[in-house]
Amino acid sequence: MARQTGWRGLPARSVLDWPGMRSHYAWRPPHAETSTTGEFQVGVSFTAHTGQERRAGERTVRGDIAPGTAFITGREPISWLGVAEPTEALEIYPDPALLASGGFDADRPRFQPGAGVHDGVIFAVAALLKRVHVNRAELSDIEASTLSHRLAEHLGQCYAHPAAHPAARAGRHRTRPRGTLGPAAVGRVLDHVHTHLAGPITLDELAALAALSPYDFARAFKASTGMPPHRFVTAVRLEAAKAALVGTRRPVAEIANAVGFHNLSHFRRLFHRELGLRPAQLRR
């Protein structure tokens, strides 16, 4: 593991090798120089950005980025043309051999690029890996291998390029693995959580979005994302709180209430346990 300590005590950069994939984590202060996200990767920005400019190939785009947004690169890397806010991001580079087992070309896997997408499966996998980078949380080889296979399968289902190998293109149409949720159902759960951050969110509500019993939904959701539903909801809430702490001057108690934590002491303990810092330490 390569690890450098940086801004506010968080690791500035770290790289971890897993069965079937490699993850790159970075936390950087605002910077004017251009930075690059490599080709054939799956990444998540855990921080919000306003009017962020990026270039892929000959095309330059400017737009806002919400925390938890995913970026999937194909042949063309993404160049970030200076960043005005602190950046926390995790990039996952799947192993070509693993992608080949799912029908992608081992030498040049063809992803359909996705810029600024909200993808619950990618967010969950990235959030689990980020905990290891930031807090050195435990993640066994078998757990990591299961995540990498789930991610590769998800890429085949949702991001196989039209010009990809026929087996990869077929992933968009094949029956999903038994006991898992389809991408649309996971997306509905993610949207529901974002919409109802401040209020109570129950397992029954989430299960209804997938037309399953709470028991079956809980098992299927974990099989699909690597996270049980309650941890997924907590991860989304904490990332929203972190974005507000970094980007606004609102009181910590107000932010905690806005994302569904009505006990401030509990919020502070959970924030520190999951993200590696106390809320006040993220203030500029």
Side-chain angles (χ1 to χ4, degrees):
M1 171 179 172
R3 182 183 175 97
Q4 301 174 0
T5 300
W7 192 68
R8 306 280 170 99
L10 288 172
R13 298 178 186 275
S14 61
V15 178
L16 291 173
D17 288 304
W18 306 99
M21 60 184 171
R22 172 178 288 182
S23 57
H24 293 230
Y25 171 85
W27 179 285
R28 301 185 64 189
H31 53 279
E33 68 273 17
T34 298
S35 54
T36 302
T37 295
E39 61 180 10
F40 306 121
Q41 67 80 54
V42 181
V44 171
S45 172
F46 289 97
T47 42
H49 298 274
T50 302
Q52 177 60 50
E53 193 172 15
R54 65 182 187 272
R55 178 185 300 131
E58 300 300 320
R59 187 182 181 199
T60 300
V61 177
R62 182 187 295 272
D64 296 344
I65 299 173
T69 298
F71 291 84
I72 299 91
T73 55
R75 288 175 176 272
E76 297 175 335
I78 298 175
S79 296
W80 304 94
L81 308 180
V83 183
E85 298 95 353
T87 298
E88 184 183 31
L90 186 128
E91 299 172 358
I92 304 169
Y93 293 85
D95 188 278
L98 178 67
L99 293 175
S101 70
F104 286 96
D105 189 318
D107 296 321
R108 299 290 288 179
R110 300 295 300 275
F111 294 168
Q112 179 70 43
V117 299
H118 297 279
D119 188 308
V121 173
I122 292 175
F123 170 81
V125 173
L128 284 167
L129 295 178
K130 182 168 77 79
R131 289 187 73 243
V132 184
H133 284 272
V134 174
N135 287 344
R136 301 185 183 183
E138 290 294 325
L139 187 68
S140 69
D141 285 347
I142 187 64
E143 290 172 318
S145 178
T146 301
L147 285 178
S148 64
H149 278 277
R150 182 67 194 98
L151 180 62
E153 184 175 298
H154 182 67
L155 292 172
Q157 286 181 321
C158 301
Y159 300 101
H161 194 279
H165 189 281
R169 293 199 307 271
R172 290 175 173 264
H173 308 291
R174 66 187 176 208
T175 303
R176 70 174 182 270
R178 187 174 181 180
T180 64
L181 301 177
V186 177
R188 289 194 295 273
V189 171
L190 180 61
D191 290 342
H192 183 87
V193 174
H194 277 297
T195 303
H196 299 86
L197 279 178
I201 298 174
T202 68
L203 184 62
D204 298 81
E205 293 172 6
L206 301 183
L209 296 172
L212 292 173
S213 71
Y215 175 79
D216 288 336
F217 170 77
R219 295 185 63 183
F221 189 86
K222 184 175 182 181
S224 303
T225 66
M227 275 189 178
H230 70 278
R231 282 194 62 190
F232 182 84
V233 173
T234 297
V236 174
R237 282 175 158 160
L238 288 176
E239 293 300 338
K242 186 180 66 185
L245 286 163
V246 172
T248 75
R249 299 302 302 172
R250 295 162 62 191
V252 173
E254 179 183 318
I255 291 172
N257 272 287
V259 298
F261 294 104
H262 305 299
N263 182 312
L264 186 57
S265 296
H266 173 67
F267 168 71
R268 285 176 168 146
R269 287 194 302 270
L270 191 62
F271 194 95
H272 183 262
R273 188 187 76 192
E274 296 293 323
L275 302 181
L277 290 174
R278 291 178 175 81
Q281 291 177 281
L282 280 176
R283 289 297 194 190
R284 286 188 168 183

